[in-house]
Amino acid sequence: MEAYFAFTDECGSYQKIRSDKFKCSHPFYVRSTVIISLNDYIQLQKGMEELKTSLGVNQNVEIKWAHYGSALKGNYRKLPHHLTPDQLKEYYINSLSLLCTLSSVTIYYTLTDNNSIGQVNEIALLKMHLQNAYQRIQNTISEKDGFAIVVADDLNDKTKALKQAVYELTIAGDYVQYTNIKKGLYVDFSDQCHGLQIADICAGVFTASLKYASAPENEKHKYNCGHDLFFSEVYKKTRSSFFHAPYYD
């Protein structure tokens, strides 16, 4: 059996009670899951570290998708670097291009439309996203006759409840027997994990693509970067089927 990681991260936000202002700021809640073999992960980590060094950034500094919007606004006060928007775009392009050259990689997305869903409890909604991700991971890894460890970014006050919920899910099962996944959920800090960093970027570009598709014509330019990155790179590794076809512009 070959060892795999499944890194999962979120973009956007969700609340059970959502004001019009909240829904305008956060129309979608998206979770990406990046499945990658141990050997390919080592290559990805090395490549991302080299990209940071080439831009004059320390290897232990996380470059998040959200930094692009802050850089465009000139808001560097809370950023751990001073990369320009063009430099950030270069980093995203090269990181995603590297990811898409790795043969073991598969990317899944789950999303919630905050304008259409009812008042679902926050923990219950996150559990549904993770349950869907675990089902996809099990299917993918069983096809490869591998074994995966699922790693998520710190979920703040929700971490303990979700770890317990996911552990119970993998023990009891739903209609899926989780035979190719380590029981439970591992939580790591994204600034110490390049797998979570690439999952953050994947979630960000997909969310930007959703916003691009739903925005009026005079607002679409705000989401061009993410939209272009998704359709130039990330779509290549995004798992889809006839029944769940990818979005085409």
Side-chain angles (χ1 to χ4, degrees), residues 28-44:
F28 305 103
Y29 173 80
V30 169
R31 178 162 288 277
S32 69
T33 299
V34 178
I35 302 171
I36 185 171
S37 71
L38 173 59
N39 289 335
D40 280 350
Y41 176 66
I42 293 170
Q43 291 186 54
L44 177 69

Side-chain angles (χ1 to χ4, degrees), residues 212 215-225:
Y212 180 94
E217 287 299 324
N218 63 337
E219 297 285 328
K220 288 186 183 295
H221 66 278
K222 297 179 180 179
Y223 313 111
N224 276 340
C225 179

Side-chain angles (χ1 to χ4, degrees), residues 65-112:
W65 172 254
H67 294 173
Y68 184 70
S70 297
L72 285 173
K73 298 173 185 175
N75 184 10
Y76 287 89
R77 186 167 56 89
K78 294 184 179 181
L79 299 190
H81 55 74
H82 286 83
L83 297 178
T84 66
D86 285 343
Q87 289 175 316
L88 285 167
K89 189 172 182 179
E90 177 187 348
Y91 176 78
Y92 301 144
I93 291 171
N94 289 330
S95 295
L96 293 172
S97 177
L98 171 60
L99 179 72
C100 292
T101 65
L102 302 173
S103 60
S104 69
V105 170
T106 302
I107 303 169
Y108 287 103
Y109 290 102
T110 56
L111 72 93
T112 294

Side-chain angles (χ1 to χ4, degrees), residues 6-9 31 130 149-155 185-190 196:
F7 297 103
T8 181
D9 199 14
R31 178 162 288 277
L130 287 170
I149 296 173
V150 183
V151 184
D153 196 5
D154 183 42
L155 296 162
L185 175 70
Y186 281 78
V187 174
D188 200 355
F189 295 108
S190 58
L196 289 175

